Structures are given as C-alpha cells and as structure tokens.
Amino acid sequence: MGSPGGAHEPLRRYVSAWIGFSAGGHFSQALTVAVVVYAFSAHAVRALIGWPGSLGVLVSLVALAACSLFGQRHHIEWHGILPVSLIALFGWWGVSVLWSDYTWATIGGVAYAAAFGALGLYLALGRDLVQVVRASGDALRILLVTSLALEVLSGLLIDQPIRFLGIAGDLALGGPIQGIAGTRNYLGFLAALGLVTFVVEYLTRSVAKGLGLASCTLAALCVLFSRSPVTAAAVLALVVAGLALRSLRKAPPARRPVIQGVLAGLVSLGGVVAWLSRERIFPAVDATGDVDVRIALWGRLRQLIEVNSLQGWGFVGQWPTEVFPFSTLLTPTGRPSATGLGALFDTWFQVGLVGVLLLVAAGGLAFVRAWATASSHPIVAYVWPAVVLVLIGVVSIAESYALFEGTLMFVVATATIAARKRSWRSRLEARPGADRR
C-alpha cells in the first residue's frame, strides 16, 4: 500500500510548480501590467461587467500577486520595509468601523482599499523600480490609446456619446474628452501620470526612442483635449519639480541643502502669488465652474464634519451614493456626488481630524523620503516616485483619487519604495550589528 501522503504528492508538485512559475520574471511583469491597467480603469471595468465582475478581477489579481510574492519570499527583505505612517493610516480606516453608522459600507470600503494597498505592496516588493516604471508605461499606453480611440469613434466616426463609459463625444469640438476614465479630470490625471512615466522610461532607455517620443505625444494630446484645469495646474507643478530635481542632481552634495531651501522658498512664494491672483487665474483656465462646485460641496461637508469632527463618519473610500449622508450631497445636476472632490476634505469627513493628520503625515513623509532619494541617487529611475507624489499631491487638492483604486495603489507603492532607501528603522537595526566586535 502507498503512504497516505502519496495521494497528495501530485497536488504538492502542481502547487509548487505554479508558485515557482508565478515568481518568474515574465509572469511577474505581465501581472504588474495587468494590475496597473485594472487599477486605473476600474470605472470602465464596472461599466462593462458590473461590481461583481470587477471585484472578481480584483480578488484574482490579489491572489496572483500573493502567489508571486510567496514564490519570491527568500529574495525580499520584509522586516522594517512597510512605512509605519501608512500602517497607522490604514489601521485608522479600519478602526472607523466601530463608530460608523453604515457599518457594512465601511467594512467594504476598508477591504476594497486594503486590496489596492496590497497590490501597491506587490509593485514595490515584487519588482524593482525600473521594472515598475516599464510596466506602468506599458499599462498607461494601453489606457491612453484605448481612450483616444474611443473618443475618435464617438466624436468623429459615429458622432454619438458612449454613455455607459461616460464619453460625451466632444472630440470634434476640441474637448473636453473623458476616455475610459469617465471624467475629464481623471483622464487628464492619467495623461499627466503617463507623461511623467514616459519621460522617465526615455531617460532610463527602457524603450526605443521612437516609442518614447510617440508615447509623450499621446500623453500630451490627452492632456490638451481633456481641457482639465486640475491637470493644467498639475502639469505646471510637474515642470517645476522636474527642473528643480535636475538642478539638484547636478549640484555638488555640499550645496544641495542650500538649493533645497531656496527652492522651498520659491515654491511657497509662488503658491502665495497664485492664491492672491486666483480671481484672474481661474477664468483663464476655465476653472470657475469647477471651483464653484467644490466650494458649494465643501460648505455642505463642513456642516456634516462639525457633527463628528474628530473621528469622522466612517471610512468608505468612494462614496456609496445610496447611503445617508452621502445621498444628501448632490452635484449641480441633482445627482449625488461620488467623492468629496478633494482628498483633505473627503478624509476629514470620513475619518475626522485624526485621519487628516495621519494622511498628511503618511504623504509628507513619503514625499520627503522620495524627494531626498531623487535628489541624490545616481539612477534616474528614482526621480519617478518623487514626481508621481508631486502629481498626486497637487491633484488631491481638487480630487479624492488618493483615497481609492489606482492612485491609492501608487501612493502605497511609492511610499514603500521611498522607505526602502530612507527608513529610520533600518538605520536603527544597523547600529547594533555595526557596534559588535
């Protein structure tokens, strides 16, 4: 008679072979592209196959990412790699279920955010930075080409909107276009993110020159036709950040602190001048309507925030518009708003002042680490996390993308990548070993 474990031997071999395959380079890179494509096109996926289908895709990607990380477990340094600030932020989101009036919506929102956070960890731990940039570039090319193709179909060929995707079909009028992103601001954000990624790809010679130039042209066209005031401000910030990093990377190490201080002063001065000139700037970039919508929504949010200012109403991420009090927060068209149109106000509303402080701490610490690394690291790819965080930070003033899906995933990924180089815990752990004789 065979041993009892003999019947399970084929299963063990199959599982072992699958885990080994999932840890391989080709599979991991393909999975990374799929993760980024899905994370930034979840709106279109839901429009096509609904929430159940979209959640099925998400669960499958998380499971595959877990298998891939498990297969690479011996090559990953786990201890001290996760930023404490991010752990605290996600922990506070989870704790908010205790006082939420919409318990099941909070449980679902936390689980949904945790799934994208897990995918962000996979990007940071399962691939090196150049591979993440390359996979993100491939994914964003797919998204932008698809968006522009659908806009050409809708606006030029059939001259009809594609309503279930949110495409108005205004390409022939010069925009605004929405693509598979659903709104002009989100498409503009994706195009700006693509522009950053394509430039870094080009500088690291990860793609051919022709493909790099064509990709940058594609992203620029999407930025132009989106006609998004938020994206216009973000692109300006990206240009300033790029020039600043270029001067810092070329400067001698001894002069970098002085240059950092001068740059911080100039940015602060520019922000003050922009604020004082807002009455001229907003009409110039066609932002008056967007600003009025946000001011009206934030005024209503302030009334609700005063009820639970410290701990908030309970985390949900994207708003469940059928649940009170989200059902009472309407757009000018009379439909419930899907977000708070600003990460800080949205966070304050959902998880209170404590949540705002944790979000600012997590984002600020990630940015400082990423910026310091980008200023001094010889590999150009390390510019990417810092500039991506600049983009997310500027857009978060007027949109809540940082609280859910692809943008949240990139926040987790870039924060973890930055912590690898600048974690205070790794320095503390290195001291005892260095002092031993």
Side-chain angles (χ1 to χ4, degrees), residues 137-189:
D138 288 341
L140 289 166
R141 267 186 288 274
I142 292 170
L143 295 175
L144 296 180
V145 167
T146 303
S147 294
L148 207 53
L150 287 172
E151 288 289 348
V152 170
L153 173 66
S154 174
L156 300 180
L157 298 181
I158 64 174
D159 195 21
Q160 292 290 330
I162 306 176
R163 300 190 188 281
F164 76 98
L165 289 177
I167 296 175
D170 292 333
L171 181 60
L173 304 176
I177 64 174
Q178 301 80 27
I180 62 173
T183 67
R184 64 171 183 170
N185 283 346
Y186 195 41
L187 178 63
F189 169 73

Side-chain angles (χ1 to χ4, degrees), residues 38 51-61:
Y38 168 75
W51 269 104
S54 180
L55 291 177
V57 174
L58 177 59
V59 170
S60 300
L61 290 174

